[in-house]
Amino acid sequence: MTISCKHGIRLTAACALSLSAGWSADNACAQAGSARLEMQSEHVDIRRIPIAQLNASLPGDARLALFAIADRPGLYVMHAPSLTEQGAMFSRVVALFERRDMPHDRIVTMAAIATHARRFGTDPAGLTAGNNFSAVELAHFFDLAHQQRLELTPGERTLQRVVVQMGLIVERDGNWQARSTRDFLITIPGLGPAPGGEMIDAPVRAAILSHELGHWQYFSNDAYAHACRSFWWHELSYAERAELTRQLEGMGYDPSDRIVIDEMQAYLLHTPARYMPFADVPGPAGVDIAKIRNKLQKTVTTASR
């Protein structure tokens, strides 16, 4: 997720790819973060709670916390200790599935990810604001790493341990598989400073959570997802589709329909306005974001009746 805020934080989608030499062995901060994350992952319980209790159950400190949402079967939530540690786990997963101009059939090196991030003018220490991946995608990442004989980073090894513990993926006959095609993991960062001097405070974290839960709705609710896809193809003009795609590409997202439709609905319907990165473009070929959002809301509301 990309969050823009006129009143403070701006975490670009390109930051999702931004890991560089900061993860190398000579970086004491990276080493300490990886060690803390690994230690916490060995002693963390999975709390089973209803979704209404999720916000109140999130830690107020830099702690790894795992949740299974009791009244949303298949939904799992990870609260990472910080943006840095979240990025250590997910940067190459994000690159594989979501990012523009990155291969989607193989896992790239950390150096390639850092180079890609710099193309967007971001600090290579920047990270994702939030993540969402199906268990099928997570299993595919680890299976592909095995096929490539790729050494996992410390953060990726921690992620693998956590998702196995949560029961999202299993190893059978040397292959990684999803336990269920309906399982879905979202992740959000802990409170505290972000790269560049910004701050993840409670409102920002709540916005990230809302956005990622929007992706869960798109993944788990077939009628809702169909309404969003129908809206994209039949109610938006070609110029509106092109402009929204252009803006998402500018944030680093892959321009495929699979990505842009899902991101469109998550930003327009599930992200507070002050953090929403879409911008109006005047003129006959432009876009009116508020108008598009209202039309999309009407479409999905009608579909749910």
Side-chain angles (χ1 to χ4, degrees):
M1 176 193 175
T2 297
I3 290 183
S4 296
C5 177
K6 298 177 181 177
H7 307 289
I9 189 168
R10 177 172 175 82
L11 305 176
T12 67
C15 289
L17 304 177
S18 307
L19 292 177
S20 68
W23 299 106
S24 65
D26 61 353
N27 187 304
C29 292
Q31 282 187 329
S34 294
R36 177 176 66 172
L37 184 61
E38 186 171 12
M39 182 175 65
Q40 290 190 18
S41 70
E42 293 174 350
H43 304 91
V44 62
D45 294 325
I46 303 167
R47 294 183 58 190
R48 186 171 176 82
I49 61 172
I51 197 166
Q53 294 180 13
L54 180 56
N55 255 315
S57 300
L58 298 177
D61 56 7
R63 191 188 334 155
L64 178 67
L66 307 175
F67 303 92
I69 307 305
D71 53 349
R72 299 291 188 275
L75 175 59
Y76 297 82
V77 178
M78 174 193 294
H79 178 276
S82 69
L83 278 168
T84 299
E85 285 147 312
Q86 180 176 258
M89 290 186 279
F90 283 98
S91 65
R92 293 203 288 187
V93 184
V94 172
L96 178 65
F97 292 109
E98 296 183 355
R99 288 300 173 247
R100 168 188 168 187
D101 300 334
M102 296 293 279
H104 300 307
D105 60 348
R106 62 185 174 86
I107 300 169
V108 299
T109 65
M110 300 302 288
I113 288 178
T115 299
H116 184 95
R118 285 192 289 270
R119 288 181 52 205
F120 292 87
T122 61
D123 182 343
L127 307 168
T128 53
N131 296 302
N132 63 93
F133 293 104
S134 69
V136 170
E137 290 171 323
L138 293 169
H140 178 66
F141 174 83
F142 290 114
D143 205 45
L144 196 56
H146 176 72
Q147 293 173 24
Q148 291 181 219
R149 295 181 172 84
L150 191 69
E151 182 178 357
L152 298 177
T153 66
E156 290 164 352
R157 289 197 299 270
T158 298
L159 173 61
Q160 187 180 66
R161 182 186 308 113
V162 167
V163 294
V164 168
Q165 179 186 356
M166 297 178 89
L168 296 177
I169 66 174
V170 295
E171 187 177 18
R172 296 191 179 103
D173 300 323
N175 299 313
W176 288 101
Q177 300 175 12
R179 182 193 64 181
S180 168
T181 59
R182 302 303 297 172
D183 285 346
F184 193 78
L185 176 69
I186 69 173
T187 81
I188 57 174
L191 305 178
E198 305 95 341
M199 181 66 65
I200 301 293
D201 57 17
V204 169
R205 184 174 65 177
I208 298 170
L209 177 59
S210 179
H211 178 97
E212 301 306 333
L213 287 173
H215 287 301
W216 158 251
Q217 184 169 354
Y218 186 84
F219 173 81
S220 62
N221 187 326
D222 291 341
Y224 177 87
H226 177 77
C228 292
R229 290 191 293 267
S230 179
F231 175 82
W232 177 263
W233 289 114
H234 302 296
E235 298 190 46
L236 290 181
S237 67
Y238 173 82
E240 289 171 326
R241 292 196 302 273
E243 178 56 29
L244 291 176
T245 300
R246 186 192 68 78
Q247 292 192 31
L248 287 167
E249 277 193 284
M251 296 178 233
Y253 287 108
D254 185 274
S256 65
D257 298 335
R258 179 182 66 86
I259 297 295
V260 296
I261 298 174
D262 192 4
E263 292 299 337
M264 172 201 68
Q265 63 83 26
Y267 279 122
L268 292 178
L269 301 185
H270 301 279
T271 307
R274 65 181 294 200
Y275 304 108
M276 211 271 294
F278 287 135
D280 291 339
V281 176
V287 296
D288 181 327
I289 297 302
K291 181 180 177 181
I292 291 174
R293 181 176 57 245
N294 291 339
K295 287 171 61 178
L296 177 58
Q297 182 64 70
K298 181 178 179 181
T299 296
V300 299
T301 299
T302 300
S304 65
R305 289 174 183 167

